[in-house]
Amino acid sequence: YVTRSEEGMLFLHALFALKDEKLDRIEAPSALQVIRLLTVIENNAEALVEALRTGNLPSGFADKFVTDSDLTPRLPALQSVLKSQADPERAEAVEEALRGERAGLIRRLWPRMNVVMANETGGFGLYGRRLRLDFDPEGWLPIFSPMFATTEGALGVNLHARGPRTFTLLPRGMFFEFLPLAEAGGPVVPGSEAEFALRQKTKFIDEVEEGNIYEVIVTTYGGLYRYRLGELVHVAARNGTCPEVEVLGRKTMGLNLGGEQTFEVTLIDSVTSAFRDVPICDFACIEPQNLEPSLQHTD
């Protein structure tokens, strides 16, 4: 089926998640999606509790959430399944859990919850902090970022359940090259002399140095050749001979007012440290247009 909005999709996920009091983990692409799921639960508490109690979807559910007309004939079957699983006792427990504050909500809804598996690296770091501050201020629930992955493939795996958010690279998944940040510069024309010169400055996986920052270049089994991902990583340590990297975010997502190279993750750390006790929903940073000529920087 196709829902009309993200809220509709999350409503259905929330309904079936709330039915299971033994739920022990939540998996999502990023911490932001987990926050949105919990927000949908809060905003639709009455409708979700009633659906759990009676097995009936909210009146007007199809009109509000469903955009695929092919689902309409199948709604009675879905309704029949929910009806057969109506659980007044669980509905009462969920209703009681939702009466409390945001802090501790996850634990009250699902006492056996062990882990939230969601990305909170790079630009998603703000949402990981917000998830902890709003819903788990006591820090009993680990948020685990299992993989460093892009649309081009999996690049690394996190071997630290509660330790640093670093990823051991997977050298058999693709062939890695690393362009030192100082050499990365801006885009170049493919096949040009400038690109050829740039490619000669890359380092192999065994040549990167701890403490340095690199742009990742990959060659994949799918046919990408020396492809610049635009991802910046900081080599934090080594696992045996394989680098462990911290994901700094996209090269284009940062500030460069005067050549200072302020990364997205650094900006997030600075803002959240400055407002340590204030729940920040989100923020934007815009480069000023009235800088003195001496402070302006062109790339």
Side-chain angles (χ1 to χ4, degrees):
Y1 59 86
V2 179
T3 57
R4 194 179 298 277
S5 66
E6 183 187 35
E7 184 182 7
M9 175 196 69
L10 291 175
F11 183 94
L12 292 174
H13 276 290
L15 178 58
F16 285 95
L18 290 172
K19 289 173 69 67
D20 185 5
E21 65 176 336
K22 297 180 180 179
L23 195 71
D24 61 2
R25 69 182 182 275
I26 296 175
E27 297 184 25
S30 76
L32 176 59
Q33 278 74 36
V34 180
I35 293 173
R36 287 176 175 169
L37 173 68
L38 296 170
T39 302
V40 164
I41 291 175
E42 291 178 320
N43 293 343
N44 297 273
E46 185 176 340
L48 287 165
V49 168
E50 188 63 20
L52 289 170
R53 179 180 289 116
T54 65
N56 293 320
L57 288 171
S59 59
F61 175 83
D63 293 336
K64 183 178 181 181
F65 291 130
V66 178
T67 187
D68 184 355
S69 60
D70 291 339
L71 175 60
T72 304
R74 299 199 294 273
L75 279 175
L78 174 60
Q79 184 68 72
S80 176
V81 171
L82 292 172
K83 195 77 174 178
S84 68
Q85 298 178 1
D87 190 344
E89 185 177 345
R90 176 60 180 161
E92 183 177 347
V94 170
E95 187 174 31
E96 179 63 29
L98 289 168
R99 288 197 184 105
E101 300 177 347
R102 266 192 161 190
L105 177 61
I106 298 175
R107 193 171 196 174
R108 294 196 305 272
L109 290 173
W110 300 289
R112 301 189 184 187
M113 184 68 64
N114 290 322
V115 65
V116 171
M117 298 181 66
N119 182 17
E120 59 161 342
T121 61
F124 293 111
L126 173 65
Y127 304 111
R129 290 176 172 86
R130 181 180 160 196
L131 180 59
R132 289 185 175 89
L133 184 62
D134 285 4
F135 296 97
D136 183 36
E138 295 181 0
W140 68 274
L141 181 64
I143 303 174
F144 179 57
S145 304
M147 296 287 292
F148 172 27
T150 65
T151 53
E152 292 77 20
L155 284 75
V157 61
N158 185 356
L159 301 178
H160 310 285
R162 287 183 176 268
R165 292 187 296 276
T166 58
F167 301 88
T168 300
L169 296 177
L170 301 172
R172 295 187 180 182
M174 55 185 70
F175 184 79
F176 291 100
E177 293 176 86
F178 300 88
L179 184 62
L181 178 63
E183 307 289 351
V188 293
V189 178
S192 65
E193 291 185 6
E195 185 196 34
F196 178 78
L198 190 66
R199 302 291 189 182
Q200 309 314 305
K201 299 175 181 178
T202 60
K203 295 182 178 295
F204 295 138
I205 196 169
D206 61 324
E207 296 175 327
V208 295
E209 299 176 3
E210 290 185 33
N212 287 354
I213 297 172
Y214 301 90
E215 180 184 347
V216 182
I217 300 175
V218 298
T219 298
T220 71
Y221 290 108
L224 293 176
Y225 175 68
R226 306 194 80 182
Y227 179 74
R228 295 177 68 175
L229 292 178
E231 293 282 352
L232 293 177
V233 298
H234 166 249
V235 180
R238 285 187 176 274
N239 188 343
T241 59
C242 197
E244 282 192 25
V245 300
E246 174 192 5
V247 180
L248 300 180
R250 304 286 295 180
K251 181 176 182 292
T252 54
M253 297 293 288
L255 296 178
N256 190 13
L257 298 181
E260 78 284 4
Q261 293 286 352
T262 301
F263 304 113
E264 184 180 19
V265 67
T266 305
L267 184 61
I268 290 171
D269 286 341
S270 299
V271 172
T272 53
S273 295
F275 300 93
R276 189 177 303 277
D277 299 321
V278 178
I280 301 173
C281 294
D282 213 332
F283 70 89
C285 187
I286 303 172
E287 296 180 356
Q289 302 300 312
N290 58 348
L291 290 178
E292 294 292 333
S294 61
L295 295 178
Q296 292 181 353
H297 172 73
T298 58
D299 193 5

